[in-house]
Amino acid sequence: MSTRTIQWLLEGPPVWILFWGILIAEKALCLAILYGVSYTEIDWQAYMQQTMQFMGGERDYSAISGGTGPLVYPAGFVYIFSLLNWVTGGGKSIVLAQWIFADFAVLTMYIVLTLYTTSKKIPWYALPLLLLSKRIHSIFILRLFNDPVAMIPLYFSIYTLSKQQFTISAALFSLALSVKMNILLFAPAYALLMFQSVGILGSLKNAFVAISLQLAVALPFIAAGHGASYFANAFEFGRQFLFVWTVNWRFVGAAVFTSTVFSKVLVAMHLIVLFVFIVKWTRCFGGLGNVIRQGLKSNAVQKLDLDYILLTMFTCNLVGITFARSLHYQFYAWYFHSLPYLLFRCKNLMFPVKIAMFFTIEYCWNVYPSTSVSSILLFACHLILLSALLLQPTAGAKQSAAYKPTKAE
């Protein structure tokens, strides 16, 4: 193999060709699936039934329900899917809905590719992996779930945070949370990054922005006297999961899965592992104590590297997913687009291992119903990836850890 060929393989095609080539391929793939694979009804009609009740004037969250049960998503979901309800004629035009979700898939790919290529830390040959998920395309095009809709403003929030547009980022993060509560898995990392970026005063200001948006979307329900019902149902932390749908804990058995002890162990493991990573993330900034001291200063502002932001946000989410009470098939949308980034930032994993882990995870999410083998494989891949990330040198470690004043929004 010639030197020029090796150099081309390492450098790859121009970024703009790769970027737009993947976007065009994603659109083409979505349309091929749309017209070549039959739609499967799961939650779409329930979404339409729930939003139809809202559009009909119902404001008591506990009274709104659909074919799959009561409404358990925040009001941002209600408004977005009410619009989809109206556009698709009460949800009857499934093909139109699929076209819209195909555009959601392309928009997601656009912002994710923007993050990847702006970071410049991932080899070019990792990016096409974003096209290679049967389950993700099913979630978007064939199932019309709300999970990928929530992830779109989340990715834009990460991008605007990296551009120091802090108020816009906080609003987008809150918008994502208003669609589905899984966005809270990113919250510890997001709070840390915001605190490092703008200090305590700026963090409080942006927290106020996020909370205000949550109150704004809840206002129609609060004004109708159903505020308590809204928050109890939209942000229900004690929700019970059915063993029949679990993707990640099939191997523990139904008795363990439903036990309160198992639930408490998962919460404890989530908090412990998350704290370990927080200590790791802050090490190159002088340690957690130094980050806190600097953040408490009114002029303590830090411009953070995008790679550090992505690793922190994506890893925080992965910790939550690894120790989640249960994962359902649509939850794959919570982290699929971060997998190539996390895998290829692990320099301590060989290339064949990265590829094998990527496709093993994909395989596990496509086994239906899940089996003990598929769930333990998924858990093992998550643990291996977390371990590799933990042993990996902290992003930004070679950069100065000094806090440099910069103008915050």
Side-chain angles (χ1 to χ4, degrees):
M1 188 178 293
S2 67
T3 303
R4 179 173 293 183
T5 302
I6 295 174
Q7 184 178 2
W8 186 90
L9 289 174
L10 291 175
E11 295 180 358
V15 172
W16 69 271
I17 292 179
L18 184 65
F19 189 104
W20 290 105
I22 291 175
L23 275 186
I24 292 170
E26 174 69 0
K27 182 67 174 184
L29 187 56
C30 287
L31 294 181
I33 293 169
L34 195 160
Y35 287 106
V37 184
S38 299
Y39 163 79
T40 302
E41 171 56 39
I42 297 181
D43 281 348
W44 173 255
Q45 289 304 322
Y47 295 164
M48 295 300 99
Q49 292 163 1
Q50 291 165 351
T51 53
M52 190 66 76
Q53 292 169 51
F54 167 76
M55 295 165 72
E58 182 60 71
R59 296 296 180 267
D60 183 356
Y61 243 61
S62 62
I64 300 177
S65 64
T68 59
L71 176 57
V72 293
Y73 308 120
F77 158 83
V78 175
Y79 303 141
I80 292 171
F81 278 80
S82 290
L83 178 60
L84 292 173
N85 186 315
W86 177 72
V87 169
T88 60
K92 295 177 182 178
S93 180
I94 299 297
V95 172
L96 177 56
Q98 289 180 290
W99 268 90
I100 294 171
F101 272 78
D103 288 336
F104 287 160
V106 174
L107 180 59
T108 301
M109 186 68 79
Y110 172 84
I111 185 58
V112 170
L113 287 174
T114 300
L115 292 171
Y116 275 45
T117 55
T118 304
S119 169
K120 299 179 181 179
K121 294 293 184 179
I122 300 300
W124 69 271
Y125 46 81
L127 272 61
L129 291 175
L130 293 167
L131 291 166
L132 304 181
S133 174
K134 175 183 176 183
R135 177 59 66 185
I136 282 297
H137 287 99
S138 173
I139 290 169
F140 272 103
I141 312 301
L142 304 179
R143 306 295 192 270
L144 310 180
F145 282 121
N146 64 336
D147 301 77
V149 178
M151 296 304 297
I152 295 173
L154 185 278
Y155 291 128
F156 276 99
S157 174
I158 294 174
Y159 179 77
T160 52
L161 178 64
S162 73
K163 295 299 183 181
Q164 295 188 286
Q165 299 171 330
F166 301 115
T167 301
I168 295 174
S169 177
L172 286 168
F173 187 90
S174 188
L175 175 62
L177 179 59
S178 77
V179 179
K180 194 156 186 177
M181 202 168 59
N182 71 285
I183 302 302
L184 288 174
L185 294 179
F186 292 93
Y190 188 78
L192 172 64
L193 294 168
M194 186 66 76
F195 184 75
Q196 288 182 275
S197 297
V198 296
I200 185 64
L201 295 179
S203 296
L204 290 174
K205 176 192 122 177
N206 290 308
F208 175 78
V209 170
I211 293 171
S212 296
L213 193 147
Q214 290 300 316
L215 292 174
V217 298
L219 190 58
F221 306 96
I222 297 172
H226 298 294
S229 171
Y230 170 78
F231 288 107
N233 287 273
F235 297 97
E236 182 185 356
F237 289 94
R239 191 176 307 160
Q240 296 298 313
F241 293 96
L242 298 177
F243 182 67
V244 67
W245 292 115
T246 188
V247 175
N248 56 331
W249 298 124
R250 182 74 61 186
F251 68 94
V252 303
V256 173
F257 178 83
T258 55
S259 71
T260 56
V261 173
F262 182 62
S263 177
K264 291 176 181 178
V265 168
L266 290 176
V267 172
M269 290 302 298
H270 184 176
L271 294 176
I272 291 169
V273 174
L274 184 59
F275 179 75
V276 171
F277 271 102
I278 289 173
V279 171
K280 172 187 170 57
W281 296 329
T282 56
R283 190 175 298 149
C284 66
F285 298 98
L288 180 57
N290 187 57
V291 168
I292 293 173
R293 286 191 296 272
Q294 295 288 351
L296 292 176
K297 296 178 181 179
S298 60
N299 63 340
V301 178
Q302 170 81 354
K303 182 171 177 15
L304 300 176
D305 181 68
L306 176 58
D307 179 52
Y308 173 71
I309 292 173
L310 291 177
L311 274 177
T312 304
M313 289 289 281
F314 289 168
T315 304
C316 182
N317 184 47
L318 179 63
V319 172
I321 286 169
T322 302
F323 300 104
R325 185 67 181 82
S326 186
L327 295 176
H328 296 175
Y329 286 96
Q330 63 268 35
F331 297 178
Y332 194 26
W334 298 359
Y335 77 123
F336 165 76
H337 291 93
S338 69
L339 283 175
Y341 200 94
L342 292 176
L343 285 167
F344 280 85
R345 282 299 282 117
C346 291
K347 304 302 182 185
N348 47 10
L349 292 177
M350 294 185 295
F351 177 78
V353 176
K354 296 172 185 178
I355 296 299
M357 286 180 61
F358 178 84
F359 285 108
T360 299
I361 292 172
E362 173 68 17
Y363 162 78
C364 294
W365 283 98
N366 281 283
V367 175
Y368 177 80
S370 65
T371 65
S372 294
V373 173
S374 67
S375 62
I376 201 168
L377 274 175
L378 183 63
F379 184 57
C381 286
H382 289 165
L383 285 183
I384 292 170
L385 182 52
L386 284 177
S387 299
L389 289 165
L390 188 61
L391 297 173
Q392 182 74 11
T394 304
K398 294 183 180 179
Q399 301 175 359
S400 171
Y403 282 72
K404 301 175 183 179
T406 183
K407 184 177 180 181
E409 186 180 28

